[in-house]
């Protein structure tokens, strides 16, 4: 904790010297130095309290005592790789299976959402025998090279779109599975080879739609580095038939010498996916979700927040749309209703002003004009009222005093 006492300016100077500038800060014109957090609140070095509308990874709330206790208690006993028998990994897999369609009954545990999506891509390609992938426009699937290739959000600024990547807009997708079959049939090359369709969680659901693979990122561990891939028996068996062993351990892969035992054909070594500590944390998160009824809470508070934001749309012309599910909500800021030009500078100005009013919020979208609400699930009705009241006040002030984008432009 000694580093928390370092002056903010010193911390910033050291970061600029030691950390790559590609690892960007929120609010770069005046970064916030956060030293602790609890629930849906974060605190800076001066003790100021901020309502956190950014960190959905802290799924059940920052530093939830039950999650912290589970990690601490298991760390005191054992933390090792998943090649030993241990109750935590099978208990966690069982609990997760109870939240999914029964066909999704085989589990792989990893350390990050990027690793999970990379493995899902490998599983899909082994099972289908084809490489083509259908992705949503502007989507981001992870930072590994395999995932940058299928992330329009990234590849358009790098090497461009590969011939086997097929981009569709969100409006083309519905819960109609026949549409998915048509999209898949049309996206292939001359032989109409099958493709794999990557979708965000919750995009398609219903009794007639069961995905072949589901990936989960570190929010399942409340920010602890744990992730998961759930799949069907046929997909898993096809992968196993390759003879490639998949496991998580603490050491790098070392090729076996003549006459020596090895890790198996094509063994893959990672770091601690499915460790006793990671699985204890995952189990604790599930327990909190159930005990505190956070799914129902998120639905209720999210609906209330959508209603309040909808009132802002009526009041302020800059608000072009409000959309979302639960506590994952986007507010589309536009310059005018006719052209729907993204209000990029206005959005940046607004989140900066909110930060000054102790609300942490970020922007997203290809025009960086979407206010993206994704707070921890313990975000309350009172939090919703406070945040929207501050948003309303700032928008009103902008309409009265600020008339041009140049005036709104933030200075470095």
């Amino acid at each position: 904790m000694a580093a928390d006492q370092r002056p903010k300016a010193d911390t910033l100077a050291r970061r600029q010297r030691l950390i790559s500038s590609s690892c960007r800060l929120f609010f770069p014109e005046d970064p916030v130095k956060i030293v602790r957090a609890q629930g849906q609140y974060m605190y800076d070095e001066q003790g100021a309290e901020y309502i956190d509308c950014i960190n959905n990874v802290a799924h059940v709330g920052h530093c939830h005592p039950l999650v912290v206790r589970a990690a601490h208690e298991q760390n005191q006993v054992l933390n090792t790789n998943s090649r030993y028998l241990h109750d935590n990994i099978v208990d966690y897999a069982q609990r997760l299976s109870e939240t999914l369609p029964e066909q999704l009954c085989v589990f792989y545990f990893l350390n990050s959402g990027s690793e999970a999506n990379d493995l899902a891509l490998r599983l899909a390609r082994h099972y289908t025998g084809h490489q083509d992938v259908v992705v949503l426009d502007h989507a981001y699937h992870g930072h590994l090279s395999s995932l940058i290739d299928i992330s329009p959000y990234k590849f358009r600024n790098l090497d461009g779109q590969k011939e086997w990547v097929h981009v569709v807009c969100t409006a083309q997708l519905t819960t109609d599975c026949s549409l998915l079959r048509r999209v898949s049939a049309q996206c292939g090359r001359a032989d109409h080879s099958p493709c794999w369709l990557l979708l965000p969680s919750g995009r398609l659901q219903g009794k007639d739609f069961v995905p072949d693979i589901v990936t989960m990122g570190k929010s399942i561990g409340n920010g602890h580095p744990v992730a998961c891939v759930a799949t069907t028996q046929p997909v898993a068996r096809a992968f196993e038939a390759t003879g490639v062993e998949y496991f998580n351990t603490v050491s790098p892969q070392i090729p076996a010498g003549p006459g020596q035992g090895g890790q198996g054909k094509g063994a893959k070594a990672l770091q601690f996916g499915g460790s006793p500590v990671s699985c204890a944390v995952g189990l604790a998160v599930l327990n909190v979700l159930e005990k505190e009824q956070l799914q129902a809470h998120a639905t209720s508070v999210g609906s209330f927040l959508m209603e309040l934001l909808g009132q802002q749309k009526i009041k302020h012309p800059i608000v072009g749309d409000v959309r979302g599910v639960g506590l994952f909500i986007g507010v589309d800021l536009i310059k005018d209703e006719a052209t729907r030009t993204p209000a990029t500078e206005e959005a940046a100005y607004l989140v900066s002003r909110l930060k000054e009013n102790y609300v942490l919020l970020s922007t997203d979208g290809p025009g960086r004009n979407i206010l993206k609400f994704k707070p921890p699930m313990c975000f309350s009705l009172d939090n919703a009222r406070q945040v929207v009241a501050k948003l309303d006040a700032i928008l009103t002030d902008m309409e009265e005093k600020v008339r041009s984008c140049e005036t709104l432009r933030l200075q470095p």
Side-chain angles (χ1 to χ4, degrees):
M1 295 297 291
D4 291 342
Q5 305 305 313
R6 183 178 294 122
K8 176 180 170 179
D10 186 15
T11 303
L12 179 59
R14 292 189 184 209
R15 177 170 176 128
Q16 290 171 337
R17 176 168 57 88
L18 297 169
I19 307 299
S20 170
S21 61
S22 62
C23 302
R24 296 176 183 174
L25 286 163
F26 286 124
F27 318 107
E29 75 284 354
D30 183 25
V32 183
K33 182 176 181 179
I34 296 297
V35 299
R36 69 182 183 92
Q38 188 71 48
Q40 65 273 45
Y41 302 104
M42 305 186 84
Y43 301 86
D44 69 15
E45 80 284 5
Q46 301 296 326
E49 180 182 88
Y50 296 79
I51 299 176
D52 182 8
C53 296
I54 294 177
N55 289 292
N56 61 312
V57 169
H59 204 44
V60 299
H62 293 282
C63 302
H64 194 289
L66 296 183
V67 178
V68 172
R69 184 187 310 154
H72 176 64
E73 290 178 353
Q74 183 58 56
N75 252 321
Q76 291 182 305
V77 178
L78 174 70
N79 195 26
T80 188
N81 66 70
S82 59
R83 301 191 79 188
Y84 302 98
L85 280 175
H86 198 276
D87 288 340
N88 285 7
I89 190 170
V90 293
D91 289 346
Y92 188 33
Q94 178 62 41
R95 286 286 298 280
L96 286 173
S97 73
E98 293 165 3
T99 71
L100 296 166
E102 62 181 359
Q103 296 95 322
L104 295 166
C105 58
V106 182
F107 295 83
Y108 302 81
F109 291 104
L110 312 95
N111 306 292
S112 72
S114 289
E115 286 184 357
N117 284 346
D118 179 72
L119 176 58
L121 197 59
R122 291 173 58 193
L123 291 171
R125 284 172 169 164
H126 278 295
Y127 183 67
T128 64
H130 297 287
Q131 187 170 353
D132 290 70
V133 178
V134 180
V135 296
L136 295 183
D137 203 2
H138 310 301
Y140 171 69
H141 296 293
H143 62 81
L144 300 180
S145 295
S146 61
L147 304 176
I148 295 296
D149 284 346
I150 61 172
S151 298
Y153 177 76
K154 292 291 184 180
F155 68 58
R156 285 187 174 132
N157 296 318
L158 296 170
D159 298 328
Q161 184 174 339
K162 302 291 193 294
E163 64 172 1
W164 44 267
V165 176
H166 310 275
V167 180
V168 298
C169 69
T170 308
Q172 291 176 258
L173 299 177
T174 70
T175 55
D176 179 4
C177 292
S178 65
L179 174 61
L180 300 186
R181 288 191 289 270
R182 291 198 301 273
V183 171
S184 182
Q186 293 168 5
C187 73
R189 294 187 290 271
D191 62 351
H192 295 288
S193 56
C195 309
W196 208 251
L197 181 64
L198 299 182
L199 295 168
S201 175
R203 178 65 195 170
L204 294 172
Q205 47 192 305
K207 65 178 182 179
D208 295 326
F209 179 81
V210 176
D212 297 285
I213 303 173
V214 169
T215 62
M216 297 164 248
K218 53 187 169 290
S219 59
I220 65 172
N222 216 45
H224 181 89
V226 60
C228 178
V229 174
T231 191
T232 64
Q233 286 284 357
V235 173
R237 296 294 88 85
F239 188 63
E240 292 161 6
T242 66
V244 175
E245 183 181 6
Y246 191 89
F247 67 94
N248 291 268
T249 185
V250 298
S251 60
Q253 180 177 344
I254 303 174
Q260 296 178 331
Q263 296 179 350
K265 177 184 175 184
K268 177 74 173 177
L270 297 175
Q271 293 284 332
F272 270 80
S275 74
V277 170
S278 292
C279 291
V281 168
L283 283 164
V285 170
L286 288 177
N287 289 337
V288 173
L289 283 168
E290 293 180 5
K291 180 180 179 181
E292 299 182 8
Q293 299 181 323
L294 288 179
Q295 285 178 293
H297 175 83
T299 299
S300 175
V301 177
S303 296
F304 180 66
L305 179 56
M306 286 276 288
E307 180 183 340
L308 294 180
L309 292 169
Q311 293 170 7
Q312 297 302 300
K313 181 178 183 294
I314 296 171
K315 184 176 181 180
H316 302 288
I318 193 174
V319 179
D321 192 21
V322 178
R323 52 186 178 266
V325 176
L327 283 171
F328 193 24
I329 298 171
V331 178
D332 190 354
L333 301 186
I334 58 175
K335 291 184 183 294
D336 64 86
E337 190 173 359
T339 64
R340 301 194 67 81
T341 303
T344 304
E345 290 83 4
E346 291 88 338
Y349 176 80
L350 184 53
V351 296
S352 180
R353 285 284 304 276
L354 282 168
K355 187 259 292 182
E356 294 171 1
N357 284 269
Y358 305 104
V359 174
L360 302 180
L361 188 66
S362 62
T363 61
D364 208 339
R368 305 304 300 182
N369 64 309
I370 310 296
L371 304 180
K372 184 165 66 171
F373 290 82
K374 49 185 182 68
M377 291 180 73
C378 50
F379 187 85
S380 69
L381 293 171
D382 190 51
N383 295 146
R385 293 187 190 95
Q386 293 179 57
V387 170
V388 176
K390 292 179 179 182
L391 178 67
D392 181 27
I394 296 169
L395 288 174
T396 300
D397 181 64
M398 288 169 59
E399 290 166 355
E400 292 176 352
K401 299 179 179 178
V402 184
R403 300 302 177 190
S404 75
C405 295
E406 285 298 320
T407 310
L408 289 172
R409 202 178 304 279
L410 296 170
Q411 299 301 316

